[in-house]
Amino acid sequence: MIIRPLVRSLCAGAMVLAASIGFIAPGVASPPSDQHRAPRAPALPEGLSALSWVVADATTGDVLASRAPHMHLPPASTLKTLFALTVLPKLPAEKLHTVSPADLAGLGAGSSQVGVQEGRAYRVADLWRGVFLRSGGDAVHVLAAMNGGVQKTIADMRQRAEELGADDTRVMSPDGYDTPGQYSSAYDLALFGRAGLADPAFAQYCSTAVASFPGGVDSDGRVGSSFEIQNTNRLLTGTTDVDPYPGLIGIKNGYTTLAGNTLIAAAHRGNRTLIVTVMNPQAGSVYEEARSLLDWGFAADDKVQPVGALRPAGVNPAVLHRAKANTKPTAEAAPLPAQAPPADGTSHSDAHAGLMSPIGMAAVGALLVSLVGSLWLLRRRMRR
């Protein structure tokens, strides 16, 4: 009888700690959504299956609702947004670079590619379109080489994440390729998306639906045949099974075996711009879950109290530059891989996720309080 209160307190404290640090064991449902609703506010969408998601106001940084926002998960190609935030300001758009074999060394097997060829010269702006529209890992590696190499770029990305307050992100590859120990969170991806919208160049690239990618110039000055590339973000371009979302600005989608489908999407309506991040839906489409969250966010305008805020507060993209694509989509976007089967998608590091964050520290405190109370109760009963 004496042991039962102790066990109950330990279990309660452990549940608080597990929910706060974002560790969800395989087969266990995601924690409930965070939302402070006024009586007139719409209910959150039904059927959301993503392990983690965030809805935030791009201008104020207010987080309107979320589920497990700090859960550590593989980000897939959405990590390319941090790559762009890090490298894009350093390289002039018109700079030409001739691709060497070393530039493409280390490109992961099965990586998405835009079609960069060794021995040909490309403008930086064209390489960025290859990154944003076709998620080209080959373009990422060339730009990383221009930045001083992959390892330097990884170090730079870690520093940039730290500057942005992205405490949930650990970079191990510049392109989001599945790499042991690499993770991010829905919260951090929203940070990256918001910071990107404050940069006109980033905003233009991420909102371009269709572009012409050059064949490059060889050593003899001959220009290769160019070809059309279309953005793989289905909410931007639309496909036979996904309608384009009205007012969508774009940003970045991703997919790997470990990450499942991931997405950062931003849309503008009236005088409001929202950012939604969705990580690894366990059923259904990442695009439809993002669509339902955007719809909810616009319907909840001024009807919900924020549950948090994107750091740093100084980032305020009050004026967003939504670039118009050079041409309208003329063909259906290349289909994305099928949804991965349900999986926990976590790394060994996830068990320690958020322990040093304010929420994680609060959870540790709650656990300690539970332990102290249980020990006091045990001692009191023993005295009897």
Side-chain angles (χ1 to χ4, degrees):
M1 296 296 293
I2 295 176
I3 300 300
R4 288 180 181 174
L6 176 61
V7 173
R8 283 198 297 268
S9 281
L10 285 173
C11 290
M15 289 176 67
V16 171
L17 178 61
S20 299
I21 64 177
F23 173 71
I24 304 297
V28 178
S30 298
S33 307
D34 293 327
Q35 180 201 14
H36 297 314
R37 285 204 300 133
R40 296 183 299 110
L44 284 168
E46 296 182 357
L48 295 173
S49 67
L51 295 180
S52 177
W53 54 260
V54 163
V55 182
D57 187 297
T59 302
T60 65
D62 289 340
V63 176
L64 306 181
S66 65
R67 173 180 292 165
H70 297 285
M71 182 188 289
H72 291 185
L73 294 168
S77 288
T78 52
L79 192 63
K80 290 182 173 78
T81 55
L82 177 59
F83 172 75
L85 289 173
T86 304
V87 179
L88 199 157
K90 300 180 180 182
L91 303 176
E94 298 303 316
K95 182 179 177 65
L96 278 173
H97 177 78
T98 301
V99 178
S100 70
D103 292 346
L104 299 175
L107 191 63
S111 294
S112 56
Q113 300 184 38
V114 67
V116 174
Q117 301 179 42
E118 297 177 6
R120 292 187 175 272
Y122 296 87
R123 289 190 311 150
V124 165
D126 290 321
L127 293 172
W128 281 119
R129 279 185 276 273
V131 171
F132 277 94
L133 275 69
R134 295 299 301 175
S135 205
D138 47 358
V140 169
H141 275 249
V142 173
L143 291 165
M146 297 177 68
N147 185 57
V150 168
Q151 293 307 313
K152 179 183 181 300
T153 299
I154 290 173
D156 290 348
M157 290 172 66
R158 291 176 177 175
Q159 181 179 346
R160 187 73 178 105
E162 183 176 356
E163 293 169 355
L164 290 168
D167 300 330
D168 301 324
T169 297
R170 186 184 185 201
V171 181
M172 301 298 291
S173 69
D175 54 1
Y177 188 81
D178 283 339
T179 307
Q182 179 164 270
Y183 52 78
S184 189
S185 70
Y187 178 92
D188 283 5
L189 295 181
L191 274 180
F192 303 153
R194 184 180 182 224
L197 292 181
D199 180 348
F202 184 110
Q204 181 176 0
Y205 289 128
C206 81
S207 64
T208 300
V210 174
S212 178
F213 192 80
V217 181
D218 64 17
S219 57
D220 296 325
R222 292 174 297 191
V223 180
S225 299
S226 62
F227 51 94
E228 184 181 274
I229 56 174
Q230 185 167 323
N231 203 309
T232 58
N233 182 347
R234 296 184 185 185
L235 284 184
L236 180 65
T237 60
T239 62
T240 55
D241 57 341
V242 178
D243 292 330
Y245 190 85
L248 195 85
I249 297 170
I251 301 191
K252 192 72 188 74
N253 58 303
Y255 173 87
T256 64
T257 302
L258 290 181
N261 282 288
T262 59
L263 178 66
I264 310 170
H268 186 77
R269 184 179 298 174
N271 60 354
R272 255 188 126 194
T273 301
L274 296 180
I275 294 177
V276 165
T277 54
V278 179
M279 301 188 76
N280 201 348
Q282 301 297 284
S285 163
V286 69
Y287 297 104
E288 296 310 321
E289 295 203 10
R291 181 193 305 277
S292 65
L293 288 170
L294 285 169
D295 285 344
W296 174 86
F298 286 118
D301 188 12
D302 297 328
K303 298 175 184 176
V304 296
Q305 298 176 1
V307 297
L310 300 177
R311 301 183 303 268
V315 175
N316 182 18
V319 180
L320 298 173
H321 300 264
R322 185 185 179 191
K324 294 183 178 179
N326 293 329
T327 58
K328 294 182 179 180
T330 56
E332 181 179 325
L336 293 176
Q339 292 277 129
D344 62 341
T346 57
S347 69
H348 294 299
S349 303
D350 287 333
H352 307 288
L355 280 176
M356 297 307 295
S357 69
I359 296 176
M361 292 177 68
V364 173
L367 180 57
L368 290 176
V369 169
S370 297
L371 285 171
V372 171
S374 299
L375 290 174
W376 177 82
L377 179 60
L378 179 61
R379 182 179 178 184
R380 183 177 178 184
R381 292 196 175 190
M382 289 179 68
R383 283 180 177 176
R384 293 179 181 176

